[in-house]
Amino acid sequence: MALANPAARDVLGAWIVGQPHMAVLRQPALVSPVEDALAGGIEGRARITHSSGAVEAAYEVRITPLDGTVLLVFRDLTEAQAGASQRRDFVANVSHELKTPLTAIAGFIETLQGPARDDPAARGRFLAMMAQEVARMDRLVSDLLSLSRLEGQARRRPTDRLDLAALASEAAGLLRPGAEAEGVRIALDLPEAAPVQGDRDQLMQVLSNLIENAVKYGARPGRVTLTLQPVAREPVLRARAWRLEVADDGPGIAPEHVPRLTERFYRVDTGRSRAQGGTGLGLSIVKHIVNRHRGRLRIESAPGEGTRVSVILPAA
């Protein structure tokens, strides 16, 4: 290698300058077209992977002969391939999530058209189950639309001045009757006011999702505590902030699951989540909203110790 720009030295190592190309490239998929370029002046392209420690990157290499030498231009494809993989996974997950209730509904319809046609009790039971499946699909589509809107707004920071304490009190008030019907008490520890810049509807969605999750997956009977406290200086934000915490006294979550809770469609207990009406998108939506507000999201949990979800937002 006669010359290498800083980017190439960062990826392949500073040692490559002055070394034979065979010692540097090594991969047959790249060595062969380089030899063709040197021997016959033939342009070429190659795709290779390069490992640097635990990180593996994919590159497209353009090979251009230049008066007895060869110019290699590496284009990093890692993010593009990762994005394509994520899109494939997303489509597969959505298809699976929609196919399950559609298959159930098709079975109910077949039963209603056949064995249960003249059975009023069975007909009522199957229609109720169909209504539940349709409601779950509706929630799924609504959550997917929310995610799509959030991704489109990711770079636009909200500018409205809001009182986070008032929003927290309102969200708790709306959800308290349903929680109490399940034997769960919602306790509040809020300041008189907590000014932030934000999108009212989105912050209400954050509050509702976190409180609903705590009620659904906490203890029965149980208690959900919503706390809002000032932070004089948040190290990452480098500014004053508000810390909103929603805690339950449920069974907790094993540590291997916690880092993945904000992934789309990730569920600790798939059966229980679906039975509770969950779409697997709630915490992913929360993460996107918090990011749009330039905040931080933290989830802490351990078996037998309940779950605490903290949202830190810059103070207005």
Side-chain angles (χ1 to χ4, degrees), residues 65-290:
L66 296 172
D67 296 328
T69 62
V70 175
L71 173 67
L72 303 181
V73 178
F74 291 72
R75 184 163 71 94
D76 193 342
L77 303 176
T78 308
E79 288 190 10
Q81 290 186 358
S85 177
Q86 289 172 356
R87 286 191 293 273
R88 287 194 299 270
D89 290 345
F90 180 69
V91 170
N93 282 324
V94 171
S95 301
H96 175 73
E97 292 291 332
L98 288 173
K99 186 174 179 60
T100 300
L102 285 172
T103 301
I105 290 172
F108 295 149
I109 291 173
E110 184 178 345
T111 303
L112 288 171
Q113 290 175 333
R117 179 182 301 172
D118 300 319
D119 186 339
R123 187 165 59 242
R125 186 171 68 256
F126 283 121
L127 287 172
M129 288 188 286
M130 289 169 67
Q132 289 178 351
E133 296 295 339
V134 169
R136 189 159 73 85
M137 285 193 293
D138 182 66
R139 286 192 297 272
L140 176 61
V141 171
S142 296
D143 283 352
L144 288 171
L145 290 173
S146 291
L147 275 175
S148 178
R149 285 193 296 269
L150 286 168
E151 288 173 347
Q153 298 171 341
R155 298 185 182 274
R156 299 199 301 272
R157 186 176 181 180
T159 57
D160 291 343
R161 188 181 177 91
L162 305 170
D163 182 356
L164 188 58
L167 290 180
S169 179
E170 181 180 347
L174 291 172
L175 296 171
R176 183 170 280 114
E180 290 178 349
E182 297 289 336
V184 179
R185 184 166 71 89
I186 299 177
L188 303 180
D189 182 6
L190 307 174
E192 291 186 5
V196 296
Q197 287 184 198
D199 181 306
R200 186 184 192 281
D201 290 341
Q202 289 183 0
L203 290 180
M204 281 293 287
Q205 192 170 9
V206 167
L207 288 158
S208 297
N209 278 352
L210 295 184
I211 296 172
E212 284 180 349
N213 279 353
V215 171
K216 285 179 183 177
Y217 305 115
R220 297 274 197 291
R223 170 187 168 113
V224 170
T225 304
L226 195 156
T227 306
L228 183 58
Q229 296 177 329
V231 179
R233 180 176 173 80
E234 209 288 323
V236 176
L237 302 178
R238 298 181 181 178
R240 292 183 303 111
W242 291 99
R243 182 193 298 273
L244 173 74
E245 183 178 281
V246 179
D248 66 53
D249 54 1
I253 301 166
E256 64 268 22
H257 294 296
V258 174
R260 301 191 61 189
L261 291 176
T262 58
E263 293 180 14
R264 295 176 181 180
F265 300 111
Y266 187 82
R267 297 179 174 96
V268 176
D269 184 338
T270 301
R272 184 182 179 192
S273 176
R274 286 180 174 157
Q276 297 275 16
T279 63
L281 294 172
L283 285 176
S284 180
I285 290 173
V286 168
K287 181 183 71 173
H288 277 75
I289 293 174
V290 172

